[in-house]
Amino acid sequence: MKANFRVATLLFTLISLSWTVSSFAVSEQALQQGIPSLAPMLEKVTPAVVNIRVTKSIADNNRNFFGGNRIPRELRRYFPDFPDSETRQRRPFSVGAGSGVIIGAEAGHVVTNHHVVAGADSIIVQLADNRSLEAELIGSDANTDIALLQIASEDLAEIELAEIDSVQVGDFVVAIGNPFGIGQTVTSGIVSALGRTGLNNENYEDFIQTDAAINVGNSGGALVDLQGRLIGINTAIISGDGGNNGIGFAVPVDMVAAVSSHLERDGEVRRGMLGVTIMSVTPDVARTIELGIDTGALVTSVLEGSAAERAGIQVSDVIIELNGESVEGGRDLRNRIGLLRRDEKVSLSLVREGETLSIAAVIGDQTGSASTADPRPAEQGAFAGMRLRNPQPNEDIYGEGGVVVAAVERQSRAWAAGLRTGDLILEVNRKATADLDGFNTAVESNEGFAILTVRREGRELLLLVR
């Protein structure tokens, strides 16, 4: 009996050790004296992660107080602490610290965060072997918080880039960087979430969230998987005091690679635009206007003269694929279009009146603005603060059906949703509205919100009113 118990215990121990080793995705080479260790992976990866020291000038408010000259003798006794001209010639400066990752050893390319190097007068890169090199800023993009540097040196190590599709919530990850400027530091955790957005709605966001400890100075450092492949560039934390709260964010590697390619080629990201306003298809939206699909980007307006109009995209189309890859929602489409080059040809799949269509488009320039619709809820009723009327016989629109927006209060939900005085509401939830009575009947039956088809200055658009 005891022998059987010892055998069972030994078998359980072996199974537990096997699970531990496999859960950390380590090979036999990653065992140190029989204990799972990340040291062999880090030995290969850490030489590709660098410390960055940045010097920035600080404006001297006293510099031109007297036109850049020495203070007049008759006034000197009133300003005893005012520096003399020699002192004022030395411009004050600040020093900041961050991190970076070598993604191209041969070219000397180092990727970091835009906010680490923005406004820098000098950038010094310190390698893992303590060599310090002056870096040149190739280009920087504030909207993704990515910057590309170049250093000149031999024997550089570079990091391998992962396929972003291989990253899953729950994967073990390691963050490498220079927190608080104390030197290269390694922390570990898991992927807490994917596709995080909302830190800055003006930016292009698709963050990897992790609970690996990230602090000030980790910005621009590497987030790697347990095979030592780069999955993201650490860029932000949520913290009340600047310390780690276990909620850190990294720009995903596919976005890093795309932006770096733009910066290397052009020194900036010359974003292409499709020229549509979009909203994400949610189950509520799909049910309300009977789309028959659960995901995609619903086109709510098309900019005149834009790439979208030239391609034949129409209001109420639902874009479901871009270049053969599915579109999850409005922000997904915006992020991907924003990383394409101007004049680049793309293929789109869209659903129109229940039929799936394939069209080709040529990405336009900044005049074809693409943005995500952002309807904002309010505390009052959906249509409170708005006055409607039927078209009058002396108006060109008389006889076409619909109701005219006579006035909209700026603090109302209707205004927040985008309705403006003079709009002609043609449909409620894709069903024609003949007159004011028909409109009132339609909105009374909606489930908390309505999607309106509106004509404004000869063009149609969709507005979501909650």
Side-chain angles (χ1 to χ4, degrees):
M1 180 69 178
K2 291 182 178 180
N4 290 340
F5 178 77
R6 285 196 295 271
V7 171
T9 301
L10 177 60
L11 180 60
F12 175 78
T13 301
L14 292 174
I15 291 173
S16 298
L17 180 59
S18 173
W19 180 88
T20 302
V21 173
S22 63
S23 69
F24 278 86
V26 294
S27 62
E28 292 181 4
Q29 289 77 20
L31 295 176
Q32 300 288 341
Q33 299 180 345
I35 300 175
S37 174
L38 298 175
M41 179 272 284
L42 292 171
E43 185 177 359
K44 178 183 69 172
V45 172
T46 51
V49 183
V50 302
N51 298 340
I52 295 178
R53 186 170 68 254
V54 173
T55 303
K56 304 179 182 181
S57 297
I58 301 175
D60 185 354
N61 293 331
N62 292 325
R63 183 172 303 278
N64 295 312
F65 192 78
F66 291 104
N69 301 317
R70 184 185 297 271
I71 185 170
R73 179 178 300 175
E74 61 272 16
L75 297 179
R76 191 172 299 163
R77 65 192 181 95
Y78 297 106
F79 298 92
D81 297 323
F82 191 82
D84 59 26
S85 59
E86 182 180 353
T87 302
R88 285 183 280 119
Q89 289 175 0
R90 298 195 297 269
R91 299 184 65 188
F93 63 89
S94 66
V95 177
S99 308
V101 183
I102 302 173
I103 60 171
E106 184 175 350
H109 286 164
V110 178
V111 68
T112 184
N113 283 146
H114 164 82
H115 75 261
V116 170
V117 298
D121 294 319
S122 69
I123 304 170
I124 301 298
V125 169
Q126 184 180 38
L127 305 180
D129 60 8
N130 290 324
R131 285 182 289 166
S132 292
L133 306 168
E134 188 170 355
E136 175 190 356
L137 178 62
I138 296 177
S140 190
D141 180 51
N143 288 328
T144 54
D145 202 17
I146 293 295
L148 186 64
L149 312 177
Q150 187 168 35
I151 55 177
S153 181
E154 298 179 353
D155 302 324
L156 294 177
E158 70 180 33
I159 200 165
E160 179 185 354
L161 306 187
E163 293 289 337
I164 193 62
D165 292 340
S166 68
V167 181
Q168 300 180 45
V169 174
D171 286 352
F172 288 99
V173 291
V174 175
I176 311 171
N178 180 26
F180 302 108
I182 64 174
Q184 191 175 90
T185 301
V186 176
T187 56
S188 65
I190 64 169
V191 174
S192 303
L194 296 171
R196 285 294 194 216
T197 61
L199 272 69
N200 185 337
N201 287 326
E202 297 301 316
N203 288 349
Y204 292 81
E205 299 179 340
D206 189 26
F207 292 123
I208 299 170
Q209 182 183 328
T210 180
D211 65 346
I214 296 175
N215 290 285
V216 175
N218 275 109
S219 293
L223 188 67
V224 303
D225 62 19
L226 295 191
Q227 297 180 53
R229 301 175 304 177
L230 183 72
I231 67 170
I233 294 295
N234 300 321
T235 190
I237 59 175
I238 290 180
S239 172
D241 57 5
N244 171 58
N245 282 343
I247 303 179
F249 301 94
V251 180
V253 66
D254 58 336
M255 186 176 289
V256 172
V259 172
S260 298
S261 178
H262 278 268
L263 296 176
E264 180 183 0
R265 184 181 60 249
D266 303 319
E268 61 179 344
V269 179
R270 297 176 179 173
R271 286 192 167 81
M273 296 294 176
L274 191 57
V276 292
T277 303
I278 49 182
M279 69 170 66
S280 295
V281 173
T282 65
D284 286 342
V285 170
R287 183 179 63 253
T288 300
I289 55 179
E290 300 176 356
L291 289 177
I293 52 177
D294 296 328
T295 59
L298 176 64
V299 177
T300 60
S301 69
V302 179
L303 188 66
E304 184 175 4
S306 66
E309 185 179 60
R310 293 193 298 271
I313 296 175
Q314 300 177 9
V315 171
S316 298
D317 287 347
V318 180
I319 300 174
I320 57 174
E321 286 186 1
L322 171 63
N323 289 336
E325 297 184 3
S326 62
V327 172
E328 298 301 320
R331 186 172 289 275
D332 179 32
L333 180 64
R334 179 178 183 268
N335 284 344
R336 288 160 60 182
I337 291 292
L339 294 176
L340 297 176
R341 297 189 305 275
R342 300 172 190 177
D343 300 323
E344 184 172 345
K345 294 182 180 179
V346 298
S347 61
L348 298 168
S349 292
L350 53 87
V351 175
R352 179 183 298 163
E353 301 292 344
E355 181 181 359
T356 301
L357 305 175
S358 296
I359 64 173
V362 178
I363 298 301
D365 59 16
Q366 292 285 358
T367 61
S369 178
S371 61
T372 302
D374 183 23
R376 293 168 292 172
E379 296 179 356
Q380 54 187 346
F383 297 100
M386 180 175 71
R387 296 201 311 272
L388 302 174
R389 63 173 177 82
N390 289 319
Q392 301 300 309
N394 62 344
E395 293 179 307
D396 293 338
I397 57 175
Y398 184 75
E400 297 183 16
V403 293
V404 177
V405 178
V408 189
E409 294 180 4
R410 286 183 175 269
Q411 303 302 318
S412 68
R413 289 188 181 186
W415 178 276
L419 280 166
R420 297 294 182 265
T421 301
D423 286 349
L424 178 65
I425 302 175
L426 298 171
E427 296 177 336
V428 177
N429 299 336
R430 301 291 301 280
K431 296 179 180 178
T433 299
D435 52 26
L436 191 53
D437 290 338
F439 175 85
N440 291 331
T441 300
V443 297
E444 286 174 1
S445 62
N446 78 77
E447 299 180 4
F449 66 91
I451 296 177
L452 307 181
T453 304
V454 174
R455 183 185 299 166
R456 180 183 299 162
E457 297 179 354
R459 303 182 66 83
E460 292 187 3
L461 61 153
L462 297 185
L463 298 177
L464 174 62
V465 183
R466 295 183 181 275

